[in-house]
Amino acid sequence: CERLEGKGNVVVIMGYPGSGYSNAVLAGVDEVLANYPDIKSLGVEYAEYTPAMSKQILEGYFAKGDSVDGVICDGGLMGFGVLEAFNDANKAIPPMSCDDTYLFLNKAVELEFSDFICCSSAQELSYDAIELLFNVLNDKPCEKENHLLPQVLTGEDALTKIDPTTPNNYWYFSKIPAERLNDFF
């Protein structure tokens, strides 16, 4: 919303309709958009976390002649489709959001696109959950409540920090040590 200077048309692309996760993310999006009355949501679309569906959704907006000034995207896989849609249509890619999958990040680096904000996908929390589980099993002290804030990577940072040889199915904020990547990917 700040990158759009508080005005313009956005498309909101979520994962699955009715899922608790998608509903929670959409509630946050709606809360933020309520503070920007000059930003119009052209629609909330569900791409089921697939690049092909998100690309197809945007192509539909292009076909209708809608001006898309920004994309609020719930995931990097769908963000990859957004990048492809704009690139294939020879349109400037607008400001957007996504998560930290390297499929998106590698494509953004390839296109030299940096006008995005990337939030951690929460997959890295599995490491924290397992670590907590072992602490409990080993009678180590644990906090009853553990709130972790999302991590953020800007597009400008991504262009300088992304190693494009990193596998597309890796996540930027993953806690897998770099020396173990070949064991898993």
Side-chain angles (χ1 to χ4, degrees):
C1 292
E2 290 172 7
R3 289 291 300 125
L4 293 176
E5 298 178 356
K7 60 182 181 258
N9 297 326
V10 297
V11 174
V12 179
I13 301 178
M14 305 300 297
Y16 286 99
S19 80
Y21 177 80
S22 289
N23 288 347
V25 172
L26 186 55
V29 168
D30 289 342
E31 186 177 320
V32 170
L33 287 179
N35 297 316
Y36 294 90
D38 293 330
I39 294 181
K40 177 186 175 194
S41 173
L42 295 174
V44 175
E45 307 286 349
Y46 293 90
E48 301 176 5
Y49 296 105
T50 65
M53 286 183 75
S54 61
K55 180 178 180 182
Q56 191 174 43
I57 286 166
L58 281 161
E59 289 170 340
Y61 282 98
F62 299 160
K64 291 189 295 185
D66 289 333
S67 173
V68 179
D69 304 310
V71 180
I72 300 170
C73 193
D74 181 32
L77 293 176
M78 296 179 298
F80 179 86
V82 170
L83 294 178
E84 282 196 324
F86 279 92
N87 191 53
D88 290 356
N90 292 317
K91 293 180 177 283
I93 305 166
M96 64 180 290
S97 63
C98 65
D99 69 19
D100 60 328
T101 179
Y102 263 80
L103 180 69
F104 172 85
L105 294 170
N106 283 335
K107 186 69 171 182
V109 168
E110 175 190 320
L111 297 173
E112 298 179 1
F113 172 66
S114 64
D115 201 2
F116 65 90
I117 187 165
C118 183
C119 294
S120 54
S121 63
Q123 63 76 36
E124 70 280 357
L125 297 179
S126 59
Y127 177 94
D128 298 320
I130 297 299
E131 184 176 59
L132 178 63
L133 172 67
F134 279 105
N135 286 342
V136 168
L137 292 173
N138 291 312
D139 288 325
K140 291 184 179 178
C142 302
E143 295 291 325
K144 184 175 181 176
E145 292 186 28
N146 188 356
H147 299 279
L148 300 172
L149 297 174
Q151 299 175 70
V152 175
L153 175 71
T154 66
E156 292 84 12
D157 287 340
L159 291 185
T160 61
K161 294 180 179 181
I162 297 301
D163 175 359
T165 65
T166 303
N168 284 336
N169 56 344
Y170 187 66
W171 304 82
Y172 182 79
F173 293 111
S174 178
K175 293 182 179 177
I176 297 172
E179 64 272 7
R180 299 284 315 270
L181 281 180
N182 289 334
D183 296 340
F184 301 105
F185 296 96

